[in-house]
Amino acid sequence: DHTEQKEQHQRFQKLFQRDVEDRSAPMKKLKASILDQKDEHTLQSVIEKNIEILNEMDVEELERKIDEAVDYIKKARKIYILGARGSYPLAHYLYYMLKELRDGIELLISGSSDFTDKLLHSKEEDVLITISFYPYTNFSYQIIEYFSEYKNKIITITDKLDSSLANLSDLVITGENGGKAHTIIPAIAILNAL
């Protein structure tokens, strides 16, 4: 029994270590690229990388998905917007912009005491827009799961079609946030189009 507990503990440690490494990998790459950079024209380099990433976006497919998202938004009684950790600024930006255009916009904030009250008043004709890039949060997953159980339409803006969050969503809009450069510019372009 003691040997089995020890093996379980070792497996847990390996899983935890792998999770920590996976979560920190993008920032390690970013830090390494900053330290290795000898270019005097940093701004120019960043602009060029972002232009390259934007040019690689599948605009036709994104247009189709954005049109579908706009249709959900138009029909919604209320729109709940969710973004945690590094995605929170994007969620807040979308919240601010949509609030200027219509009523019934709610921002769900992890750790705030009123988000459960907001969820209690949701109805089936409401829409959840989730913005979440790797590493995904349990909070985001739980909120999506909640809305999914109540048959709400769920729009997820994320980096991968096969993410755990995307699997519970009705519509997934993907925007690069890593790879060639750590950037939120594609996500901002998608939010501006919405």
Side-chain angles (χ1 to χ4, degrees):
D1 188 44
H2 181 68
T3 308
E4 187 179 319
Q5 282 182 326
K6 190 175 179 181
E7 287 174 5
Q8 281 182 320
H9 180 73
Q10 287 174 337
R11 281 195 302 266
F12 175 76
Q13 274 186 315
K14 285 180 182 177
L15 284 172
F16 180 74
Q17 185 176 7
R18 190 177 314 136
D19 185 54
V20 169
E21 287 170 2
D22 287 349
R23 288 174 188 262
S24 62
M27 293 315 284
K28 282 182 181 176
K29 286 180 187 175
L30 178 62
K31 185 178 177 182
S33 72
I34 290 169
L35 294 174
D36 291 344
Q37 194 170 43
K38 293 171 180 64
D39 189 0
E40 295 171 12
H41 306 289
T42 304
L43 179 60
Q44 183 65 37
S45 175
V46 168
I47 290 170
E48 287 170 4
K49 280 183 182 152
N50 277 292
I51 289 171
E52 186 180 335
I53 290 167
L54 288 169
N55 283 330
E56 289 175 1
M57 293 172 71
D58 185 348
V59 176
E60 194 173 306
E61 177 68 10
L62 284 169
E63 286 281 7
R64 188 186 62 74
K65 289 185 174 189
I66 288 169
D67 287 346
E68 193 175 342
V70 168
D71 192 47
Y72 288 171
I73 290 168
K74 283 180 181 177
K75 292 176 182 171
R77 180 190 74 101
K78 262 190 174 182
I79 299 165
Y80 293 86
I81 301 172
L82 169 66
R85 288 193 195 144
S87 300
Y88 173 76
L90 294 168
H92 191 271
Y93 176 71
L94 181 61
Y95 165 77
Y96 174 78
M97 296 304 288
L98 286 180
K99 198 129 176 84
E100 293 294 314
L101 300 173
R102 61 164 287 176
D103 294 329
I105 309 295
E106 297 283 352
L107 181 63
L108 301 174
I109 302 170
S110 171
S112 72
S113 58
D114 72 335
F115 88 86
T116 51
D117 294 336
K118 290 177 182 178
L119 294 181
L120 290 174
H121 300 292
S122 67
K123 298 199 182 311
E124 192 176 322
E125 59 270 22
D126 297 340
V127 168
L128 171 67
I129 301 174
T130 303
I131 304 168
S132 186
F133 295 97
Y134 185 84
Y136 317 112
T137 65
N138 277 341
F139 176 73
S140 297
Y141 186 82
Q142 289 167 348
I143 298 295
I144 288 180
E145 207 171 35
Y146 175 87
F147 276 89
S148 180
E149 285 176 24
Y150 288 94
K151 309 290 186 236
N152 296 91
K153 291 290 186 191
I154 301 168
I155 302 166
T156 296
I157 300 168
T158 188
D159 51 351
K160 292 182 181 177
L161 282 172
D162 63 349
S163 74
S164 56
L165 304 177
N167 293 332
L168 291 173
S169 303
D170 297 287
L171 178 63
V172 180
I173 303 172
T174 55
E176 182 75 43
N177 83 325
K180 291 184 171 116
H182 188 77
T183 180
I184 60 168
I185 298 302
I188 291 287
I190 290 166
L191 296 181
N192 281 336
L194 273 176

